[in-house]
């Protein structure tokens, strides 16, 4: 099995050899190979309960992002747990006040949603004076940090073990249908207020999809979308594009690999050691996937590797690959008329219609000219669907030099992105 995976990876290497440097290809393929190897062998376990048997789990947790990364910086933090309708238990840390510990009052809540292969630590990778989560708290917001199912702090389920294929039987459709509504409802109930929302990458995709289906609107105050993902057929990332074109995720799924993990401890340590050597710029590890980031400090890669990348479902990777190949934003395609009909009542998957997003919803979109995942042409296609949006409700920011990772790890992001975003929120 592993040799078959390696052979598939070598095909990807050959197809990309004329686009990116050979050493970087080898490094990334090693990560993929190692991650696939440790994720292999997932087998179907029988369900122990039905959805009607769901019982409430505790709403608070004592371990997680709060104790490891927030309280250590002098901020108050609470660990909350949210259970979705389909039984996934999600970690949602809360930073209720800034470092000065002023009164809580009626601080407006803001929910931060990370992207693919990341978790809530996305918003805490930079120093406290530059990290968006801390900046929001210091500027009077009640900050809630989402962690998608399958990531380090959201690997609980009321009945399914994480090494079962059932646990990983989801794509971003389920994040739209279950994770996002459950988290929104919980924060709304806890605070009694409508939410501001900030998403990055996949975090923008699930928000746009939900909004196109009239979800969340009664609980949403405004939304900020960083590196927005809706249409992805024009993406220029050679790694993502070639993986999709070669049906890599579909191949892993057929091998029985249902958890798509890029993280292996030995490989992560190897990369961290390599990055310490003089003359090696490890930001290139991200460049191959994200595009040439303008503003990453070389030291940020080691911090990134301490916490990321995170797992996702192989089915989710298949869904994203379908979007790349087909140029659509639609629900998961089972590639079988009978299966699609069973799930959707029609032979083809329903489309998420971006034109249905309400014109009066305050939106802040920021995208970069060097982003290989949220390509300029794809973002412009999204913006065309928002042509009728109220002029005073849509702010579009374009940074010619920014790529995908700059939005969450860039040294200049505070000045370039976060401060204008916070001003936008305060106007709402």
């Amino acid at each position: 099995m592993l040799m078959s995976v390696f052979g598939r990876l070598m095909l990807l290497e050959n197809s990309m050899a004329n686009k990116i440097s050979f050493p970087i290809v080898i490094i990334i393929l090693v990560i993929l190979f190692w991650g696939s190897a440790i994720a292999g062998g997932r087998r179907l376990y029988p369900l122990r309960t039905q959805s009607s048997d769901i019982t409430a789990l505790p709403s608070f947790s004592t371990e997680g992002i709060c104790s490891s990364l927030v309280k250590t910086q002098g901020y108050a933090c609470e660990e909350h747990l949210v259970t979705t309708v389909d039984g996934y238990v999600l970690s949602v840390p809360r930073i209720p006040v800034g470092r000065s510990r002023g009164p809580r009052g009626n601080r407006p809540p803001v929910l931060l949603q990370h992207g693919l292969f990341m978790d809530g630590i996305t918003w805490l990778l930079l120093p406290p004076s530059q990290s968006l989560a801390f900046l929001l708290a210091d500027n009077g917001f009640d900050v809630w940090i989402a962690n998608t199912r399958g990531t380090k702090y959201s690997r609980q389920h009321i009945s399914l073990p994480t090494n079962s294929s059932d646990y990983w039987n989801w794509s971003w459709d389920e994040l739209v249908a279950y994770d996002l509504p459950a988290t929104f409802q919980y924060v709304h109930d806890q605070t009694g207020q409508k939410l501001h929302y900030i998403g990055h990458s996949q975090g923008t995709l699930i928000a746009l999809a939900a909004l196109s289906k009239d979800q969340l609107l009664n609980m949403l105050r405004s939304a900020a979308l960083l590196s927005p993902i809706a249409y992805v057929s024009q993406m220029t990332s050679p790694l993502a594009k070639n993986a999709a074109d070669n049906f890599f995720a579909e191949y892993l799924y057929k091998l029985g690999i249902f958890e798509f993990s890029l993280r292996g401890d030995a490989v992560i340590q190897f990369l961290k050691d390599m990055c310490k050597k003089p003359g090696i710029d490890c930001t290139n590890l991200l460049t191959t996937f994200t595009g040439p980031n303008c503003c990453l400090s070389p030291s940020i890669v080691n911090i990134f590797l301490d916490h990321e990348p995170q797992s996702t479902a192989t089915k989710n990777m298949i869904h994203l690959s379908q979007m790349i190949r087909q140029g659509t934003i639609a629900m998961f395609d089972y590639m079988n008329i009978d299966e699609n009909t069973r799930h959707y009542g029609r032979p083809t998957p329903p489309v998420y219609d971006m034109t249905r997003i309400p014109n009066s919803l305050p939106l802040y979109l920021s995208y970069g000219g060097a982003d290989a995942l949220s390509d300029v042409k794809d973002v412009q296609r999204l913006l065309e669907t928002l042509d009728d949006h109220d002029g005073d409700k849509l702010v579009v920011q374009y940074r010619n030099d920014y790529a995908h990772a700059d939005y969450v790890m860039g040294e200049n992001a505070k000045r370039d992105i976060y401060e204008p975003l916070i001003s936008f929120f305060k106007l709402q």
Side-chain angles (χ1 to χ4, degrees), residues 65-343:
I65 290 175
C66 282
S67 58
S68 60
L69 287 169
V70 179
K71 291 180 179 179
T72 55
Q73 302 297 335
Y75 288 80
C77 194
E78 304 166 0
E79 294 281 2
H80 292 254
L81 296 177
V82 176
T83 304
T84 66
V85 171
D86 59 343
Y88 289 80
V89 184
L90 313 177
S91 168
V92 187
R94 178 190 194 183
I95 308 175
V97 293
R99 184 181 272 171
S100 63
R101 305 293 181 100
R104 295 197 180 193
N106 287 320
R107 289 171 167 254
V110 55
L111 177 65
L112 302 177
Q113 176 63 61
H114 61 83
L116 183 68
F117 299 137
M118 304 290 281
D119 64 359
I121 291 174
T122 294
W123 311 105
L124 302 164
L125 291 170
L126 290 165
S129 62
Q130 300 174 17
S131 290
L132 181 54
F134 291 134
L135 289 171
L136 287 164
D138 288 334
N139 275 273
F141 292 90
D142 182 0
V143 181
W144 298 76
I145 303 174
N147 287 274
T148 296
R149 61 179 67 187
T151 57
K152 180 178 180 180
Y153 297 107
S154 294
R155 292 177 72 91
Q156 295 184 63
H157 192 278
I158 62 167
S159 63
L160 299 174
T162 56
N163 66 343
S164 70
S165 60
D166 276 344
Y167 179 89
W168 296 101
N169 185 25
W170 53 268
S171 78
W172 59 264
D173 282 336
E174 280 67 37
L175 307 186
V176 174
Y178 301 117
D179 285 29
L180 205 56
T183 306
F184 255 77
Q185 189 67 58
Y186 184 86
V187 175
H188 182 265
D189 290 348
Q190 290 289 312
T191 62
Q193 298 186 61
K194 290 187 174 183
L195 286 64
H196 294 292
Y197 177 88
I198 302 175
H200 176 246
S201 189
Q202 183 178 259
T204 70
L205 171 63
I206 61 175
L208 288 166
L211 294 174
S212 75
K213 295 172 71 68
D214 297 328
Q215 293 177 203
L216 315 177
L217 294 172
N218 63 329
M219 296 181 284
L220 181 62
R221 193 177 304 206
S222 70
L225 310 176
L226 309 180
S227 292
I229 297 287
Y231 304 100
V232 288
S233 63
Q234 301 299 315
M235 71 162 50
T236 57
S237 170
L239 189 63
K241 188 74 171 172
N242 278 274
D245 290 344
N246 284 278
F247 294 83
F248 180 63
E250 286 87 343
Y251 187 75
L252 293 181
Y253 197 85
K254 289 179 180 178
L255 291 177
I257 298 172
F258 304 114
E259 176 184 358
F260 194 99
S261 172
L262 302 183
R263 191 172 185 87
D265 290 342
V267 175
I268 294 296
Q269 189 58 53
F270 164 75
L271 292 175
K272 292 176 72 172
D273 291 342
M274 183 188 70
C275 291
K276 295 176 183 177
K277 294 182 179 179
I280 299 216
D281 182 1
C282 278
T283 59
N284 287 330
L285 281 171
L286 298 173
T287 295
T288 307
F289 188 59
T290 66
N293 299 288
C294 68
C295 310
L296 301 191
S297 164
S299 62
I300 196 71
V301 177
N302 264 330
I303 298 172
F304 170 85
L305 291 173
D306 281 339
H307 306 284
E308 321 290 355
Q310 295 289 323
S311 293
T312 188
T314 304
K315 184 178 179 180
N316 189 41
M317 296 304 297
I318 294 173
H319 194 177
L320 294 168
S321 298
Q322 290 173 353
M323 293 172 62
I324 295 171
R325 292 192 300 265
Q326 299 169 10
T328 59
I329 175 170
M331 299 186 76
F332 185 86
D333 190 347
Y334 289 89
M335 306 303 290
N336 180 286
I337 291 177
D338 291 339
E339 278 298 299
N340 282 336
T341 301
R342 186 169 72 86
H343 283 87

Side-chain angles (χ1 to χ4, degrees), residues 349-370:
V351 172
Y352 293 98
D353 184 358
M354 296 294 102
T355 64
R356 289 179 54 85
I357 295 174
N359 295 332
S360 59
L361 176 67
L363 290 177
Y364 181 101
L365 275 74
S366 184
Y367 67 110

